[in-house]
Amino acid sequence: MTNAQLILDTAIAASRAGGAILRRYFEEGVTMRNKSGDGGKSYDLVSDADEESEQVIASIIREAFPDHELLGEESLQGDVDSKNLWIIDPLDGTNNFAHRIEHFAVSIGYYENGEAKAGAIYNPIHDDLYTTVHGQGAFRNGERVCVSSTDQLGQAMIGCGFYYDRGSMMQATLAAIEECFSHHIHGIRRFGTASLDLCMVGCGKLEGFFEYNLSPWDFAAGSLFVTEAGGQITDARAGKLPMSSTSVVASNSHLHSALTEITQRHHP
Ligand code: IPD
Ligand code: CA
Ligand code: CA
């Protein structure tokens, strides 16, 4: 990778700057709006916090790397095929943010020719920083982390996410959860911030995580965090993750085939 340290330092600086904006709005209050206007779904939210965070992140990255492309959830339209691409979720966990639950993050992943090279995920309320560089491991607040060694579904804690769809996607998720329980897993958790869910797999807190529809900015940084921590991440049919909306399954690697057998069976 070109200039790994500068890339990581830039990702960290940008995630902390975006996080500072989220923290300020979280403390002072902000109006949440429906993403698709008045007719939009009441749970698909956006606010000045998401938009300002994205702008600040973009300006920091552009200052360091003026010729790189940026793809972000709110307004950055970078091409996924570009040689140097930053993929940004300026506020992952919008619903938690809106409900005053202190579990949300900025997520920034850096890709070269379609390969994940570095990432930073930052929860500004807990001042928790997750970082990773290809080939160099995964770190939480500077301490190296790794996935759990559990190889029995019967001893696993599994995270999941529900896409905003309340139809077939939701039914599929519920069916997969039910099948997980039939293997006597320890529990299911739905924390509401996909990037942090992936960090929890990398940190060995969750043995696995799945969601039937995520966007690249939800997993761009977290997917590298998982693999650098010794885990595995694929789509729900155990295929390579594309750089587009997709199902996602992450695990400590020991439980990957057991989990993808379940998610594949219920794939909507
Ligand atoms: C959402 C969160 C959530 C996941 C949704 C995502 P947002 O991102 O990551 O955990 O279940 O599918 O869209 O909208 O809060 O940035
Ligand atoms: Ca997101
Ligand atoms: Ca978001």
Side-chain angles (χ1 to χ4, degrees):
M1 174 178 26
T2 42
N3 219 335
Q5 194 58 49
L6 182 58
I7 298 266
L8 182 64
D9 289 348
T10 304
I12 292 172
S15 67
R16 285 191 181 280
I21 286 169
L22 301 185
R23 190 167 51 236
R24 174 165 58 77
Y25 276 114
F26 190 74
E27 285 163 3
E28 293 174 2
V30 63
T31 306
M32 306 302 298
R33 305 183 297 273
N34 285 349
K35 211 163 204 177
S36 20
D38 283 346
K41 299 279 195 297
S42 66
Y43 40 78
D44 195 3
L45 300 167
V46 69
S47 72
D48 289 351
D50 309 56
E51 291 165 356
E52 245 181 71
S53 169
E54 189 170 282
Q55 283 160 19
V56 164
I57 291 165
S59 70
I60 289 172
I61 297 171
R62 281 193 181 119
E63 198 179 326
F65 300 102
D67 56 339
H68 287 191
E69 293 230 12
L70 276 59
L71 172 67
E73 181 173 8
E74 303 313 331
S75 59
L76 302 167
Q77 312 264 335
D79 180 356
V80 289
D81 294 324
S82 53
K83 181 173 182 293
N84 306 100
L85 179 68
W86 295 76
I87 307 182
I88 299 152
D89 193 336
L91 167 50
D92 189 30
T94 314
N95 263 283
N96 284 346
F97 182 90
H99 288 269
R100 307 209 44 74
I101 298 167
E102 295 97 337
H103 187 81
F104 52 86
V106 171
S107 173
I108 302 176
Y110 170 71
Y111 282 65
E112 269 181 20
N113 299 314
E115 296 292 328
K117 294 295 182 188
I121 295 167
Y122 180 56
N123 176 334
I125 304 300
H126 298 308
D127 193 21
D128 245 348
L129 178 68
Y130 302 87
T131 53
T132 181
V133 172
H134 180 69
Q136 295 182 24
F139 298 83
R140 178 186 185 193
N141 296 326
E143 302 271 330
R144 187 183 285 272
V145 298
C146 69
V147 295
S148 79
S149 56
T150 309
D151 61 2
Q152 302 292 315
L153 267 183
Q155 289 170 0
M157 181 66 85
I158 304 293
C160 71
F162 289 88
Y163 180 61
Y164 292 120
D165 167 276
R166 300 281 158 102
S168 59
M169 201 92 72
M170 183 166 176
Q171 291 311 318
T173 309
L174 292 170
I177 289 173
E178 195 170 7
E179 188 173 341
C180 284
F181 275 120
S182 76
H183 292 273
H184 310 293
I185 58 168
H186 282 185
I188 282 281
R189 295 291 180 268
R190 195 298 192 241
F191 292 114
T193 303
S195 59
L196 291 175
D197 292 327
L198 295 173
C199 290
M200 289 174 88
V201 174
C203 291
K205 297 178 181 196
L206 295 174
E207 273 64 44
F209 164 80
F210 73 95
E211 181 158 349
Y212 280 118
N213 196 327
L214 285 173
S215 298
W217 40 81
D218 297 315
F219 60 81
S223 56
L224 184 64
F225 192 87
V226 167
T227 54
E228 285 296 321
Q232 204 176 336
I233 187 161
T234 62
D235 70 15
R237 294 191 170 97
K240 189 175 185 290
L241 278 187
M243 288 278 268
S244 54
S245 289
T246 177
S247 58
V248 171
V249 176
S251 76
N252 64 0
S253 75
H254 311 291
L255 288 172
H256 207 78
S257 48
L259 201 51
T260 49
E261 260 179 46
I262 296 172
T263 54
Q264 170 155 15
R265 207 178 344 271
H266 302 287
H267 206 298

